[in-house]
Amino acid sequence: MTRDRYCEVRQATEQLCAPLATEDYGVQSMADASPTKWHLAHTTWFFETFVLKPREGYRPFHPLFEMLFNSYYNSIGEPFPRPQRGLLTRPTVEDVYRYRRVVDEEIENLIEHKALSSDSLAVVELGVHHEQQHQELILTDLKHLLSCNPLRPAYRVLAAPPSSPVAPQQWCEIGGGVYEIGHAADGFAFDNETPRHRIYCEPFGLATRPVTHGEMQAFIDDDGYRRPELWLSEGWNSVCSQGWQAPLYWEKSGGEWWIFTLAGMRRLNPSEPLCHVSYFEADAYARWAGARLPREGEWEIAASQLEATGNFVESGWFHPRAASAAVASTAQQMFGDVWEWSESPYTAYPGFRPTAGALGEYNGKFMCNQFVLRGGSCATPSSHIRASYRNFFPAAARWQFSGIRLARDV
Amino acid sequence: MTRDRYCEVRQATEQLCAPLATEDYGVQSMADASPTKWHLAHTTWFFETFVLKPREGYRPFHPLFEMLFNSYYNSIGEPFPRPQRGLLTRPTVEDVYRYRRVVDEEIENLIEHKALSSDSLAVVELGVHHEQQHQELILTDLKHLLSCNPLRPAYRVLAAPPSSPVAPQQWCEIGGGVYEIGHAADGFAFDNETPRHRIYCEPFGLATRPVTHGEMQAFIDDDGYRRPELWLSEGWNSVCSQGWQAPLYWEKSGGEWWIFTLAGMRRLNPSEPLCHVSYFEADAYARWAGARLPREGEWEIAASQLEATGNFVESGWFHPRAASAAVASTAQQMFGDVWEWSESPYTAYPGFRPTAGALGEYNGKFMCNQFVLRGGSCATPSSHIRASYRNFFPAAARWQFSGIRLARDV
Amino acid sequence: MTRDRYCEVRQATEQLCAPLATEDYGVQSMADASPTKWHLAHTTWFFETFVLKPREGYRPFHPLFEMLFNSYYNSIGEPFPRPQRGLLTRPTVEDVYRYRRVVDEEIENLIEHKALSSDSLAVVELGVHHEQQHQELILTDLKHLLSCNPLRPAYRVLAAPPSSPVAPQQWCEIGGGVYEIGHAADGFAFDNETPRHRIYCEPFGLATRPVTHGEMQAFIDDDGYRRPELWLSEGWNSVCSQGWQAPLYWEKSGGEWWIFTLAGMRRLNPSEPLCHVSYFEADAYARWAGARLPREGEWEIAASQLEATGNFVESGWFHPRAASAAVASTAQQMFGDVWEWSESPYTAYPGFRPTAGALGEYNGKFMCNQFVLRGGSCATPSSHIRASYRNFFPAAARWQFSGIRLARDV
Amino acid sequence: MTRDRYCEVRQATEQLCAPLATEDYGVQSMADASPTKWHLAHTTWFFETFVLKPREGYRPFHPLFEMLFNSYYNSIGEPFPRPQRGLLTRPTVEDVYRYRRVVDEEIENLIEHKALSSDSLAVVELGVHHEQQHQELILTDLKHLLSCNPLRPAYRVLAAPPSSPVAPQQWCEIGGGVYEIGHAADGFAFDNETPRHRIYCEPFGLATRPVTHGEMQAFIDDDGYRRPELWLSEGWNSVCSQGWQAPLYWEKSGGEWWIFTLAGMRRLNPSEPLCHVSYFEADAYARWAGARLPREGEWEIAASQLEATGNFVESGWFHPRAASAAVASTAQQMFGDVWEWSESPYTAYPGFRPTAGALGEYNGKFMCNQFVLRGGSCATPSSHIRASYRNFFPAAARWQFSGIRLARDV
């Protein structure tokens, strides 16, 4: 972990905020989302709490920030209630940037002067990856917030990513046997990617590309949202109680589908990868298509052989891009564009041990009633993703850039 | 209605906003409250909708503002959902001030050039009084918002109002008979104050001053919040489900009571008039004190003989002031300081006719499950109040400057 | 209070239960309603608690019944939670009848042997009137319960009451002035009917008969349930959130309206008095009809001059009966058939003092957010009603036999 | 599937109901539970719907039963809402028994006369196993219902199972490698137990016996219910929002723990296997004990080598029994006594295909947000259980006889 790397990531967060009005920073559109200002402060709190505070003589920036910007670390103390994060009009945006400055200066100094133990350096590295997770959340939470406004304001003026009609989906076949998955020794990984371990895997087919808008339209046109037999029982409850008739951010206007994007409303492009679907919708779509979602081990086996390149946040499109029109026999777009729902509940790998101390609350305690997504999205920083990376969300969540890649038994 | 009067009231609203950070304008702390920005826009919407739009050739400032800033006028169209007002990060504060400028210019011009019919002028006058109501709400909604923040930020640095120990409460006695109440012909009044009509009233006593903090402390110390026999059934449900143990904004710290004010936390002053109690608390306190709340007719009979002077928003204290220490045999502080809960449900006066058209939705449709408060508060503009004025809130509401004046049968 | 009177009322309760299957006794269809078994036990508990327990040497029937069958008397102890009354499968129906037997024997003995003080005799009389209130509730709660069953089972096989087309509604005019209302000295009354006191009343007109099914159909056909301008704001919220499109128990089948009655489904008879409407519907209907609801004082002034005869529970129809076809110039059906919503919130009369002790919780603590109904219904025992009788329910309640009589200013 | 087997299982259901009062049959204590009467009718509905109705000329017992007693088969039609099952006071208990008689006669006849195709016979067999599942639910739903009654009535007078102090728990060690799990070809199994497939399994240790009451007491005494670090995040939310301080049915009285059983209240016996814990409590206990829950594959590997004997419903204890005091080196009580929470979310086995048609809704659509339990309980019929059997409940469910067997990595 170098000073440069630290600065680069911290600055990237702030660059994402450049298009915002002060008014956009503080509002929380639902309990699952947080205000941008809170993300800015919380990521800073992470470094202050886990790197600076344990150091003798450190005087906290503000005595109440420990509580206000604690997300869920009960070992640190009782956090400020999540659904009320949007009520904190103070500290102001300027105050929060000042908080960032002060903490950054300390951390940069410590790195520069090699004053950090290797354990502390590892926490800084964790904090940098943590910051990257919140970069993605800033974008998805903002997208949700802006979508609640009948003015449908754009986060930023943006050109649509280039697009041409996609080739039909094909299947890559992968043989069965005992495989190893999970993070191997070198490079950073979260605790939930470890330990590397063996699994037995039957032969399977994996789709060459994600499901597109156009394919989802066919599902809708075939009454997909009105046929309970296609849905998990709990999914059907969501359809009925939430009144789902299409993916999140789809709106019908003048007989045509439009979608809300970070650039405002756009006419739906059938070639683009579908996103903003829940696990329930992904599962129902797969059942309708005569296929299934990949298990996370299958996905990782396939992805391990590929390079982690793609349409990430750095592309500046903030939107998934249509697959290459060239017919492919290998899997395209495994990384970037859209997170891909796996069929797998988020559980501990055999032999999993959470990090010791408060940081053990980072991942392990959420291993219940969530599903694994893989591969990153157009809102993910490219240096953040890898084949073993496990993202996770509840089955009804739709506000992430979450899409579908099909699998099948062979 | 003169141009000067219009300008003065419109500017007064903006002066109340002077101490705010941009961040403070947009947040909604509960469904009952609105963001300051929304108040600024809605009061402008009122003039645009009811004065400007009916004029041929008027081009609305923004096509969606009709919906966004409609409070509850179903005749105008479906309003934006009240609990989501805080999600509108756009228009920005600056945009809203621009909206105010544009509408003000139009209205001022029309007044100046005598281009308004007498009906339209009457609507402008209504709009001015409407604006004053929202001035008070800006303050009470902000107070609630700031109180939700563990930092307990002050709206403004403010000295406490002067105070000396109060004299014991006494009773003014008023004879029974047929009286007239309601607005008499001259001067502005809301439709709900009309028609003036006769009521029969038994003789009664009215307290010389409002109940104080110190008296409320005695109620608390006597287990008032733990004795169901003192409470209405629905009030006791509120006590239990909301966990009420003291009035809103009271906090115990180090064995002492503190209160949150628009100037931040202050040690409780026992001489100050109690405020931020619900009807339920007012009723329970009165029962405990062996008295009752006044009926609104009784209050008006007593108030009609007094001048409407007092501690209003113009005093700049934004807080009720202790009663004069001199023993009084007439009622003090009937106007200003704290709204006084009457025992009376808010109903139509005999012969009541709501204003014709959409403006008929202003008052009449709320005549259900609310209670009348009288006399104005330290957050009320002095030119807004009169003896016949009927304010109304649900029995559990506590975030207004609402207090208690006792009455009794004689 | 004679032994015969006591026995007669207690037996009447049990006769109402004669048509029930054991299964019907125990179920609670909503928090507002109670199981028949609970009514049978609670009315017995009333006599045991307030007459027998204060007597030295009395040994309670069961130590836990004090809690299980306490409705809302906090002075007696914490009652079993109301919404869970339906969970008590034990005591069985037989056990509860045994409880009734034991308590009845004691009370009857005490009356017979003149062993009760006049105070205790007054409580027995109160208990008898209390029992009659629960007789009506047994019927309305059962009606609601049976209506929830798609089999729409009848409480009892019953002929429809005789009916012929009604004459058009006319207005009885009553002059203004100071009147006295409230219970005069002789005969039983609840504390909430006292004290008798003066009111000032403007001249008014009162409809000669209640609104009919046919008139309500005209309201529905005129989109009455879809026009917010006809409704109180809170009423409109109920319409939208509850999806109201017609009164309770109305069902459209094959293009025609049917209603659920205690005799099962019947084709709607346009001549019958409308019932099962909320205050909100009554108020909206009146507004649509260019009239208003009567204030409770007006109703009582008119009713005081009439005899309290009509279609009560003893008629055995359990359903309102069409008004006489003869054109009437005086008010018909003021008593019996349907409770008539007044415009008046339920409040204390000037000088009201609740009964001392626990029985003071009977009425006074509910004087908040309820509206007064007058005149009794087809489910009311005839000896229970009088001109000064004040029934009260929340504005959204629809499961009582509640209807509409219009009034107007003159 | 013989006629005798069919009759035996159908009669076993009714024998379980023998101790009930009519009042006990109809009430529903929570949305997750159903009234006994509903279980009796629904299991009958199953045979009527899936065996009799497809036969030409069959005339349904009652036209509305198709809807009333449909649990969740959307392919059959919209079921009556689950949380309202307790509102159906009709059909009466007697009617439901008549329904059972009529359907039984038909089915028995068809079996006897070999009039059923092998497909239909397979559905009868499924229906018999389905009936056994509901036998267990009748007991657990009744236990919950009776526990809601402050009288704490017993289902039946019952002696406590024999008990002596248990030996300390030990670990059975099982080696790693590729194993096969899932149902092998012969004998009945539900679709969710198939297909038999390979898994890779690391070596592990499995506890010789389930966790006991006494061990759970140590967890409580060590503040287990007050230490968030022991809990999954969602589990800790349940602890806080539900106020959990001990397993379901534990009550402290006079400083001692008592538990509610089907025989009423009993003093807690520290040697008995713990039951009525949620997945969250099982997981927290395991973490506190330095162990973990077994994965379902591990459990099945261990169980496959054992005989499926134990304390089932036929023992007549309706309560788990203390483990043998003799020190054991192999796993005791794998079957019967208490269901054992596995760490595994309930998912489809690789290659899983739900049964075709409406019966495909039996299991597959619930594969989301539930956890697998293994081994059966003291309320399970012995002929119902096997090593491959997968029961499943949401993580917060506590009203089944669900307990804990620990596992650990080796």
Side-chain angles (χ1 to χ4, degrees), chain C residues 177-401:
Chain C
V178 172
Y179 284 89
E180 284 206 338
I181 65 162
H183 184 65
D186 53 325
F188 175 83
F190 288 109
D191 58 2
N192 64 7
E193 302 169 51
T194 65
R196 190 157 175 88
H197 64 285
R198 276 163 290 191
I199 60 166
Y200 186 87
C201 181
E202 305 286 346
F204 67 99
L206 191 70
T208 45
R209 59 161 177 76
V211 169
T212 62
H213 279 153
E215 288 162 343
M216 189 59 177
Q217 244 179 312
F219 173 83
I220 295 173
D221 293 347
D222 196 31
D223 276 342
Y225 281 90
R226 287 190 218 122
R227 292 163 54 189
E229 72 272 20
L230 296 173
W231 296 78
L232 286 167
S233 176
E234 200 175 320
W236 185 243
N237 289 349
S238 291
V239 169
C240 297
S241 68
Q242 311 292 316
W244 288 349
Q245 300 187 312
L248 184 63
Y249 302 139
W250 288 41
E251 293 181 38
K252 211 158 201 172
S253 170
E256 275 184 301
W257 284 111
W258 291 70
I259 54 171
F260 180 68
T261 73
L262 282 167
M265 296 303 298
R266 277 188 191 154
R267 198 176 301 255
L268 183 131
N269 174 347
S271 298
E272 286 175 353
L274 165 69
C275 67
H276 297 301
V277 289
S278 62
Y279 177 85
F280 294 132
E281 288 158 300
D283 167 84
Y285 178 87
R287 189 166 295 111
W288 173 80
R292 61 171 172 84
L293 300 178
R295 281 179 278 277
E296 64 166 327
E298 294 171 337
W299 193 98
E300 187 169 332
I301 290 164
S304 304
Q305 304 155 6
L306 305 171
E307 245 187 296
T309 58
N311 171 21
F312 297 113
V313 73
E314 293 82 0
S315 74
W317 286 319
F318 303 103
H319 193 73
R321 185 195 47 187
S324 154
V327 175
S329 60
T330 56
Q332 283 187 64
Q333 297 184 296
M334 293 284 284
F335 294 98
D337 291 300
V338 295
W339 286 101
E340 301 177 8
W341 283 109
S342 82
E343 191 190 82
S344 304
Y346 175 50
T347 56
Y349 282 167
F352 169 65
R353 291 274 171 280
T355 307
L359 286 168
E361 298 189 55
Y362 200 112
N363 279 308
K365 74 181 187 184
F366 301 108
M367 290 174 169
C368 177
N369 295 346
Q370 311 222 39
F371 286 84
V372 172
L373 302 104
R374 294 293 194 127
S377 82
C378 58
T380 309
S382 62
S383 66
H384 184 64
I385 202 71
R386 60 202 153 262
S388 63
Y389 193 103
R390 308 171 79 197
N391 198 356
F392 49 90
F393 276 94
R398 315 208 298 172
W399 89 110
Q400 297 303 304
F401 288 91

Side-chain angles (χ1 to χ4, degrees), chain C residues 23-24 27 86 89-90 93 149, chain D residues 23-24 27 86 89-90 93 149:
Chain C
E23 289 84 343
D24 299 325
V27 175
T89 64
R90 319 287 178 91
V93 172
N149 191 327
Chain D
E23 288 85 341
D24 300 324
V27 175
T89 63
R90 320 287 178 92
V93 172
N149 191 328

Side-chain angles (χ1 to χ4, degrees), chain D residues 157-386:
Chain D
V157 178
L158 290 164
S163 163
S164 52
V166 291
Q169 177 211 283
Q170 302 197 46
W171 300 99
C172 315
E173 311 234 322
I174 295 176
V178 172
Y179 284 90
E180 286 206 337
I181 66 163
H183 185 66
D186 53 327
F188 174 83
F190 289 108
D191 57 3
N192 63 8
E193 302 169 50
T194 66
R196 190 158 175 88
H197 63 285
R198 276 164 291 191
I199 59 167
Y200 187 86
C201 182
E202 304 287 347
F204 66 100
L206 192 69
T208 45
R209 59 161 176 76
V211 169
T212 61
H213 280 153
E215 288 162 343
M216 188 58 176
Q217 242 177 314
F219 173 82
I220 295 173
D221 293 346
D222 196 30
D223 276 343
Y225 280 91
R226 286 188 219 125
R227 291 164 53 189
E229 73 271 21
L230 296 174
W231 296 79
L232 287 166
S233 176
E234 201 176 319
W236 185 242
N237 289 348
S238 291
V239 168
C240 297
S241 68
Q242 312 292 316
W244 288 349
Q245 301 187 312
L248 185 62
Y249 302 141
W250 288 40
E251 294 181 36
K252 211 158 200 171
S253 170
E256 274 183 301
W257 284 112
W258 291 70
I259 55 171
F260 180 69
T261 74
L262 282 167
M265 296 304 297
R266 277 190 190 151
R267 200 176 299 255
L268 182 131
N269 174 346
S271 298
E272 287 175 354
L274 166 69
C275 68
H276 299 300
V277 290
S278 63
Y279 177 84
F280 293 133
E281 286 157 300
D283 167 84
Y285 178 87
R287 190 166 294 111
W288 172 79
R292 60 171 174 84
L293 301 178
R295 281 179 278 277
E296 65 166 324
E298 293 171 337
W299 192 98
E300 187 169 335
I301 290 165
S304 304
Q305 303 155 5
L306 305 171
E307 244 187 297
T309 57
N311 172 22
F312 297 114
V313 72
E314 293 83 359
S315 74
W317 286 319
F318 304 103
H319 193 74
R321 187 195 44 188
S324 153
V327 176
S329 59
T330 57
Q332 283 187 64
Q333 297 185 297
M334 293 286 283
F335 295 97
D337 292 301
V338 296
W339 287 100
E340 301 177 9
W341 283 108
S342 83
E343 192 189 84
S344 304
Y346 175 51
T347 58
Y349 282 166
F352 169 65
R353 290 274 172 281
T355 308
L359 286 169
E361 299 188 55
Y362 200 112
N363 280 309
K365 73 180 184 183
F366 301 108
M367 289 173 170
C368 176
N369 296 346
Q370 311 221 40
F371 287 83
V372 173
L373 301 104
R374 293 292 195 126
S377 80
C378 57
T380 309
S382 62
S383 65
H384 185 64
I385 202 71
R386 59 202 154 263

Side-chain angles (χ1 to χ4, degrees), chain A residues 169-360:
Chain A
Q169 176 212 284
Q170 300 197 47
W171 300 99
C172 315
E173 310 235 323
I174 296 176
V178 172
Y179 284 91
E180 285 206 338
I181 66 163
H183 184 64
D186 54 326
F188 175 84
F190 288 109
D191 58 2
N192 64 7
E193 301 169 51
T194 65
R196 191 157 175 88
H197 64 285
R198 276 164 290 190
I199 60 167
Y200 186 88
C201 182
E202 304 287 347
F204 66 100
L206 192 69
T208 45
R209 60 160 176 75
V211 170
T212 63
H213 280 152
E215 287 162 343
M216 188 59 178
Q217 242 178 315
F219 173 83
I220 295 173
D221 293 347
D222 195 30
D223 276 342
Y225 280 90
R226 286 189 218 124
R227 291 163 55 189
E229 71 272 20
L230 296 173
W231 297 77
L232 286 167
S233 176
E234 200 175 320
W236 185 242
N237 289 348
S238 291
V239 169
C240 297
S241 68
Q242 312 292 317
W244 288 350
Q245 300 187 313
L248 185 64
Y249 303 139
W250 288 41
E251 293 181 38
K252 210 156 202 172
S253 170
E256 274 184 302
W257 284 112
W258 291 70
I259 55 170
F260 179 69
T261 73
L262 282 166
M265 296 305 298
R266 277 188 190 152
R267 200 177 300 256
L268 182 130
N269 175 346
S271 299
E272 287 174 354
L274 166 68
C275 68
H276 298 301
V277 289
S278 62
Y279 177 84
F280 293 132
E281 288 157 300
D283 168 85
Y285 178 87
R287 189 166 294 112
W288 173 80
R292 59 170 174 85
L293 301 178
R295 282 179 278 277
E296 65 166 324
E298 294 170 338
W299 193 97
E300 187 169 332
I301 290 164
S304 303
Q305 304 156 4
L306 304 171
E307 245 187 297
T309 58
N311 172 22
F312 297 114
V313 71
E314 293 82 359
S315 74
W317 285 319
F318 303 102
H319 193 73
R321 184 196 47 188
S324 153
V327 175
S329 59
T330 57
Q332 284 188 61
Q333 297 184 297
M334 292 285 281
F335 295 97
D337 292 300
V338 296
W339 287 99
E340 302 177 8
W341 283 107
S342 82
E343 192 190 82
S344 304
Y346 175 51
T347 57
Y349 282 165
F352 168 65
R353 291 273 171 281
T355 307
L359 286 168

